[in-house]
Amino acid sequence: GLSAESYRRRNEITVTGDNVPPPFTTFEATGFSSEILREVHNAGFSAPTPIQAQSWPIALQSKDIVAIAKTGSGKTLGYLIPGFVHLKRSRNNPQLGPTVLVLSPTRELASQIQEEAVKFGKSSRISCTCLYGGAPKGPQLRDIDRGSDIVVATPGRLNDILEMRRISLHQVSYLVLDEADRMLDMGFEPQIRKIVKEVPSRRQTLMYTATWPKEVRKIAADLLINPVQVNIGNVDE
Ligand code: ADP
Ligand code: MG
């Protein structure tokens, strides 16, 4: 197999942080459950993408991560599968609220993330609810009441539901900010900060972004603790 250094060089991966583990260059190296390995096999995937290869071992060590990689690089499973592993370790009761919370800028993106979570998590008995604006609250509130391991939400709608006191985030211990740059461009920073106040500070926080401008650096500095940074390719600043 390739050494960590040559795999990183070949795939334009740069890492910053303390004791960064070597990438998982194959699915077998991940140690994921047979259920999850079956799902990636069924999807026809032959190897982890570079962002998955490098961010999985970091996420599995429960470290905070900033991952900067362009659209289409496989970031969703980059955070979802370690989230599944985290869920199995945490053994929380989903009736009491989600353990994994993913914030996403738009209804379309949130729905795609939920579809991916259902597709890859179903055989591991992982449940997922999606909350977004521009749709009635009733069915979403009923989904929350049924309980789910993962909530994928746009910041505006989640904040509305929090203000109604119809969801509790006290069990969240794995928080993902997906497309962080886009969420900030769309003006969601105040809502994100209000939501994060409801999440316990003892948590793992993962931030995925396509670009790394100073607004994103600022919120990363405020919300993440000693993160490992992973860049794929040229970073657009
Ligand atoms: P991003 O969030 O970085 O824009 P996505 O997570 O949406 O990218 O992934 C883009 C596409 O690549 C999706 O269709 C996804 O199912 C697929 N994909 C994810 N991981 C792999 C893999 N290891 N091998 C092949 N395709 C993959
Ligand atoms: Mg994405």
Side-chain angles (χ1 to χ4, degrees):
L2 285 173
S3 73
E5 273 321 307
S6 58
Y7 180 87
R8 284 179 186 145
R9 205 175 318 113
R10 188 173 296 195
N11 292 287
E12 295 186 79
I13 300 172
T14 51
V15 292
T16 326
D18 306 328
N19 304 317
V20 181
F24 291 143
T25 60
T26 65
F27 286 118
E28 291 65 45
T30 61
F32 292 153
S33 69
S34 55
E35 288 81 10
I36 291 169
L37 292 176
R38 179 155 27 90
E39 296 304 337
V40 296
H41 178 78
N42 288 345
F45 299 168
S46 52
T49 67
I51 190 66
Q52 292 165 357
Q54 185 58 79
S55 66
W56 281 339
I58 300 165
L60 291 175
Q61 289 183 353
S62 304
K63 288 183 168 151
D64 284 1
I65 297 191
V66 173
I68 309 163
K70 66 180 188 332
T71 301
S73 52
K75 295 193 288 295
T76 315
L77 291 177
Y79 58 77
L80 278 181
I81 299 181
F84 297 166
V85 175
H86 179 93
L87 273 164
K88 291 297 160 197
R89 289 176 185 157
S90 70
R91 308 172 63 118
N92 284 338
N93 178 356
Q95 292 311 146
L96 304 179
T99 296
V100 171
L101 174 63
V102 181
L103 299 180
S104 168
T106 69
R107 171 183 181 155
E108 290 69 29
L109 289 165
S111 303
Q112 285 168 22
I113 295 162
Q114 185 199 24
E115 278 173 30
E116 200 106 321
V118 168
K119 179 175 171 188
F120 289 89
K122 208 172 182 177
S123 59
S124 312
R125 300 173 172 279
I126 284 162
S127 54
C128 181
T129 290
C130 197
L131 309 175
Y132 45 75
K137 291 199 183 78
Q140 296 179 4
L141 296 174
R142 281 194 288 282
D143 284 348
I144 294 167
D145 293 341
R146 243 178 253 124
S148 55
D149 299 305
I150 303 177
V151 164
V152 181
T154 57
R157 176 55 58 98
L158 177 56
N159 216 38
D160 290 349
I161 292 175
L162 276 170
E163 282 172 0
M164 296 166 71
R165 305 186 130 274
R166 289 296 303 272
I167 190 170
S168 168
L169 303 182
H170 78 279
Q171 290 198 120
V172 172
S173 48
Y174 189 97
L175 171 66
V176 181
L177 306 173
D178 194 19
E179 308 242 9
D181 51 354
R182 219 163 139 206
M183 287 199 286
L184 297 191
D185 283 345
M186 290 174 70
F188 282 133
E189 181 162 352
Q191 284 94 332
I192 293 169
R193 289 186 184 274
K194 275 169 92 174
I195 291 163
V196 173
K197 284 206 180 90
E198 305 282 321
V199 175
S201 51
R202 250 184 91 88
R203 63 166 189 261
Q204 184 177 3
T205 311
L206 304 91
M207 178 179 277
Y208 285 74
T209 184
T211 62
W212 189 227
K214 72 170 189 301
E215 302 73 39
V216 181
R217 292 174 199 223
K218 172 75 170 68
I219 198 163
D222 290 347
L223 303 185
L224 280 68
I225 298 174
N226 196 21
V228 174
Q229 187 178 314
V230 179
N231 293 359
I232 311 293
N234 284 328
V235 186
D236 172 12
E237 320 222 318

